[in-house]
Amino acid sequence: MLILAIETSCDETACAIVKDGVEVLSNVINSQISVHQQFGGVVPEVASRHHIENIRNVVCEAICQANVSLDDIDAVAVANSPGLVGALLVGVSYAKGLAFGLNVPLIPVNHINAHICANFIAHRELCPPFICLVASGGHSHIVNVRGYTDFEVIARTRDDAAGEAYDKVARILGLGYPGGPAVAKRAENGDENFLKLPRVKMVGSFDFSFSGVKTAVINYVHGCVQRSEELRIDDICASFQLAVNEALCQHLIDVAIERNIDTIALAGGVASNAKLRELAEKFANENGLKFYCPPLNLCTDNAAMIGCLGYYNLQAGITADMSLNAIASV
Ligand code: KG4
Ligand code: ZN
């Protein structure tokens, strides 16, 4: 079963050819990061226009690298939610045209759940049930993966997503976009106990809140600037990273224990944070849980993960007709 998968939910135009759900024959990503860097974040309208310009080349490159022809494709999968609606629409429209022209099924894929499926590509022995933390620029979910197409969201963020908090803190520190990798780099030489930052725990809920820790950093930075004090950027980054990562890992472990599930996993762009991976693995070991995490290139946005969940969706009979639309939030 060869699936051609398309991903255009944010600032990556991506296409992958995936065999039987987990064998990635090609995984092409055209990143627009350099385009958006000058604005300090993703500009939706600019992203849509670049997807339109890039998608044909990206799809052709994926087919070429996989050494297949369009006639070999059995189905077309596309991320149709959640994301920037104009950006999603480019992928959805292209996928519809391709599926119609090839007379093959069109498969709608949820981007967040697809992030989780990156784990299936990397770890063939992994199977549901497990508890997965999906931390990206737009979402911080703890998901009970009950089956390959059965995802129960147990916790989410009440305000900022973890990646969003990383990006905003990077911005105030003048570290540029995307903020996560920049903060992680500066944190390498920092003292993580330099600033005491809040960890939020809601009563009766595993939900996250990251706006408090973000605001605490921003207020601290403003205070330093007003007093003309030198900003200890490495130490601030290390303290912030520890606060966010501890909250993410603690809630993940708490959910696994409460649900009595012996396996945890990470997914999403923030899962490429080395300290988060380290801490989650440490917590898992301390609690006798199995731990999984995708390789770095499958943590951030890509189309291989769309092909993987697309495969499972098709097996479950989840397909769409030509009325498929892009949905910004789910
Ligand atoms: O999953 P993703 O590629 O796109 C979305 O679906 O949002 O995640 C992007 C997010 C950005 O906020 C970025 O700053 C964050 O992931 N990120 C990181 C790291 N690499 C990317 N955050 C912390 N540490 C990293 N190493
Ligand atoms: Zn994503």
Side-chain angles (χ1 to χ4, degrees):
M1 168 65 65
L2 271 192
I3 292 186
L4 184 150
I6 293 173
E7 153 64 37
T8 61
S9 67
C10 190
D11 59 345
E12 261 92 31
T13 316
C15 179
I17 309 292
V18 181
K19 188 176 174 190
D20 298 333
V22 290
E23 198 180 323
V24 181
L25 303 189
S26 65
N27 189 19
V28 177
I29 303 171
N30 181 296
S31 174
Q32 302 175 14
I33 283 180
S34 58
V35 176
H36 298 282
Q37 253 158 359
Q38 58 186 304
F39 306 111
V42 178
V43 182
E45 179 60 24
V46 174
S48 309
R49 285 166 191 265
H50 277 83
H51 285 311
I52 293 172
E53 284 173 14
N54 295 334
I55 191 154
R56 186 174 179 276
N57 283 346
V58 168
V59 170
C60 290
E61 183 63 26
I63 292 167
C64 180
Q65 283 187 18
N67 202 16
V68 298
S69 85
L70 271 180
D71 293 338
D72 301 322
I73 301 301
D74 297 303
V76 176
V78 64
N80 76 312
S81 73
L84 303 171
V85 75
L88 286 167
L89 268 173
V90 178
V92 168
S93 307
Y94 197 95
K96 277 189 197 175
L98 202 54
F100 185 76
L102 296 174
N103 196 21
V104 297
L106 172 68
I107 313 164
V109 172
N110 175 287
H111 175 92
I112 303 298
N113 297 341
H115 268 300
I116 296 171
C117 291
N119 281 290
F120 294 133
I121 296 173
H123 309 289
R124 303 285 167 90
E125 73 280 14
L126 174 65
C127 50
F130 61 95
I131 303 292
C132 189
L133 167 72
V134 197
S136 70
H139 298 80
S140 300
H141 285 179
I142 296 178
V143 179
N144 180 9
V145 185
R146 295 187 290 211
Y148 292 95
T149 58
D150 185 359
F151 304 88
E152 178 200 5
V153 179
I154 293 176
R156 55 184 76 231
T157 180
R158 298 274 176 101
D159 38 57
D160 290 0
E164 189 181 356
Y166 266 100
D167 292 337
K168 287 177 178 168
V169 162
R171 196 171 184 164
I172 187 97
L173 294 172
L175 301 179
Y177 175 85
V183 169
K185 182 92 199 98
R186 293 300 298 258
E188 278 172 17
N189 304 314
D191 171 10
E192 55 189 22
N193 297 311
F194 173 67
L195 283 182
K196 295 273 163 290
L197 295 169
R199 274 76 163 157
V200 176
K201 184 89 192 78
M202 320 261 175
V203 178
S205 163
F206 296 110
D207 280 356
F208 298 109
S209 168
F210 293 113
S211 74
V213 62
K214 174 199 68 182
T215 306
V217 171
I218 292 174
N219 288 344
Y220 174 78
V221 169
H222 284 159
C224 286
V225 171
Q226 278 161 8
R227 293 188 298 273
S228 301
E229 280 172 22
E230 184 206 350
L231 273 183
R232 291 172 56 174
I233 294 183
D234 293 355
D235 296 335
I236 298 169
C237 287
S239 306
F240 169 77
Q241 180 175 255
L242 180 69
V244 172
N245 289 354
E246 273 188 2
L248 290 171
C249 291
Q250 193 58 58
H251 290 208
L252 174 61
I253 294 288
D254 289 349
V255 170
I257 292 171
E258 199 225 32
R259 292 294 173 110
N260 198 20
I261 291 181
D262 70 354
T263 306
I264 59 165
L266 301 181
V270 180
S272 47
N273 184 283
K275 285 284 180 188
L276 177 68
R277 298 161 81 96
E278 214 174 82
L279 192 64
E281 186 161 24
K282 177 171 168 274
F283 277 25
N285 290 339
E286 285 170 2
N287 289 279
L289 304 175
K290 283 179 271 181
F291 170 72
Y292 291 93
C293 194
L296 298 188
N297 68 325
L298 293 178
C299 286
T300 42
D301 287 350
N302 65 87
M305 65 186 197
I306 306 296
C308 181
L309 181 51
Y311 172 81
Y312 294 120
N313 279 352
L314 186 61
Q315 306 288 311
I318 301 168
T319 58
D321 62 20
M322 290 299 132
S323 66
L324 181 68
N325 207 350
I327 304 162
S329 61
V330 280

